[in-house]
Amino acid sequence: MHEFGSAVDLHSHWWPREFAQAITEGRSWHAWRTESTGTEVPRIVAGEREAPAPVHLYTHDVAERRERRAAEGVIREAIMVPAFLWGYELAPAAAESYCRDVNADAAAVQTESGGTVSGLGLLPLQDHDAALRVLDHSVKDLGLHAFSIGSNVEDANLDAPAVVSVLEQVLASGAALVIHANWYTRAGRGRMGQHMFDNSVGVPLEAGLALSSLIYSGLLDTYPDARICCCHGGGWLAYGIGRLNLRYQQGRDGRGLEQSPDRYLDRFHYDCLLHDERSLELLVDRVGADRVVIGTDHPYGGNIPNVGAVRWIADQASLTSREKDMVVRENAARFLDGARGAVEARR
């Protein structure tokens, strides 16, 4: 029986503290710097890219973060950088240094939290050797066992050979992956400037494309027990999978999968942020209640309005009491703890 206050949140965001401090003091941090706007809130820029959210939106104090969780019924959270801070645009050496600093902060928060925070590390996926060095350091020296990745690497899909070569090593290490839609390189971005389509359409588009790419990467055939979660309910994939099956059945998909695409759906985990009861019901029907987890998207506007994700799940008439407990607590805890055990067993 689910009790409010026991949830595990697999999708929340954290701005690295050293970065936040630098921005507050008007200093640069790696590629990022501030530019005055004539107001109290400066622009945060790196080259031609501008951070779409101010640093003060984030809670950087571990104790305050605990209070936020308690208000939403969350006892444990996994933290990742915002979707505009992957650093995939950086040169390899700069990206490696950046990821090491981000991961050091995530690991420190993980330790300071007393087990209530799991840090999701960052990898420089644009460079194989740099990524493997960061991976090795993160799991062996920092104690991280899960990583957040963007839905593409500067427009390279997740089945691009160079990307696959890195993800293969991540999965071989036993570590888990949490996928979040990119900010700057979302598909179709040139046509989504109005009605907030860049978010309402672009995010699920990116999520579905990321998972489709992983299916066709062959990684799930090589690592059938891989722990991979996708934010925002996996986007459109659970509802549009028939189209992938069609091209598979016709032999027009360009790759010989071991199974039809729909057979891979329940290999992934999905957060619950679908914002529609019938969509959630279909997702659970397709992949099972044991594959759906809580996501709050803190501190962004992707959480369930008014009630929050935890209470929303508790109110779902389509879920049994046992299924609610799985979604709210058990699935995400098993996902994170299983990754930790797998990483430690391979050290």
Side-chain angles (χ1 to χ4, degrees):
M1 180 72 177
H2 163 62
E3 295 182 4
F4 187 79
S6 64
V8 179
D9 178 6
L10 206 52
H11 173 193
S12 67
H13 297 281
W14 172 270
W15 198 305
R17 291 175 291 185
E18 186 177 335
F19 187 3
Q21 185 65 29
I23 294 301
T24 301
E25 297 174 355
R27 295 183 288 109
S28 297
W29 196 74
H30 291 278
W32 293 90
R33 69 183 192 284
T34 61
E35 289 184 354
S36 176
T37 61
T39 70
E40 294 182 356
V41 181
R43 295 175 67 229
I44 306 172
V45 297
E48 297 181 354
R49 293 182 171 179
E50 179 177 355
V55 68
H56 68 262
L57 181 66
Y58 297 79
T59 300
H60 305 101
D61 182 87
V62 173
E64 291 181 13
R65 192 85 177 194
R66 188 179 299 116
E67 293 177 5
R68 189 283 302 182
R69 291 196 302 269
E72 295 190 38
V74 174
I75 195 172
R76 178 182 178 189
E77 65 178 326
I79 58 172
M80 71 180 84
V81 296
F84 48 89
L85 292 182
W86 302 123
Y88 297 151
E89 75 283 1
L90 300 175
E96 180 173 353
S97 175
Y98 170 70
C99 289
R100 283 176 177 267
D101 282 351
V102 169
N103 293 355
D105 186 64
V109 175
Q110 180 172 278
T111 299
E112 294 166 21
S113 74
T116 61
V117 172
S118 293
L120 300 181
L122 196 60
L123 296 168
L125 294 181
Q126 65 269 50
D127 186 85
H128 178 273
D129 292 345
L132 295 195
R133 287 191 295 269
V134 171
L135 171 66
D136 187 69
H137 172 64
S138 299
V139 300
K140 292 181 179 179
D141 301 326
L142 298 180
L144 298 179
H145 51 271
F147 295 86
S148 60
I149 65 172
S151 50
N152 67 74
V153 181
E154 292 297 290
D155 284 325
N157 286 337
L158 298 185
D159 61 341
V163 179
V164 171
S165 70
V166 175
L167 299 183
E168 185 172 27
Q169 295 304 310
V170 177
L171 298 179
S173 76
L177 293 171
V178 178
I179 304 168
H180 192 290
N182 285 21
W183 180 265
Y184 299 110
T185 55
R186 288 178 186 166
R189 54 192 177 275
R191 298 173 58 196
M192 297 190 187
Q194 296 182 352
H195 316 301
M196 210 175 177
F197 281 170
D198 62 329
N199 184 280
S200 58
V201 177
V203 167
L205 176 61
E206 273 293 318
L209 182 55
L211 294 188
S212 299
S213 298
L214 284 178
I215 289 173
Y216 275 92
S217 73
L219 287 169
L220 296 178
D221 293 328
T222 305
Y223 300 97
D225 297 323
R227 294 176 180 85
I228 302 173
C229 180
C230 190
C231 299
H232 304 289
W236 55 266
L237 187 62
Y239 324 99
I241 192 68
R243 194 75 175 179
L244 273 71
N245 280 350
L246 172 66
R247 299 313 178 198
Y248 169 82
Q249 293 161 1
Q250 293 173 336
R252 299 172 61 187
D253 56 356
R255 179 186 173 89
L257 295 174
E258 291 186 0
Q259 305 177 76
S260 59
D262 64 305
R263 301 297 296 274
Y264 294 89
L265 286 178
D266 62 3
R267 302 280 192 89
F268 300 110
H269 285 74
Y270 308 79
D271 81 11
C272 65
L273 293 180
L274 290 164
H275 304 279
D276 179 77
E277 294 181 358
R278 295 179 67 183
S279 295
L280 177 68
E281 187 174 355
L282 177 58
L283 179 64
V284 171
D285 183 62
R286 294 303 303 258
V287 305
D290 61 329
R291 290 284 165 169
V292 181
V293 302
I294 289 293
T296 66
D297 197 27
H298 177 80
Y300 292 111
N303 202 351
I304 307 298
N306 302 318
V307 296
V310 179
R311 291 182 176 88
W312 189 64
I313 289 295
D315 290 341
Q316 296 303 307
S318 64
L319 296 175
T320 67
S321 177
R322 177 74 186 113
E323 288 172 333
K324 291 175 183 178
D325 200 42
M326 294 165 66
V327 173
V328 167
R329 178 178 57 86
E330 292 181 12
N331 298 340
R334 185 171 60 250
F335 181 92
L336 293 169
D337 294 340
R340 180 176 60 207
V343 167
E344 292 175 350
R346 289 166 170 78
R347 285 180 181 173

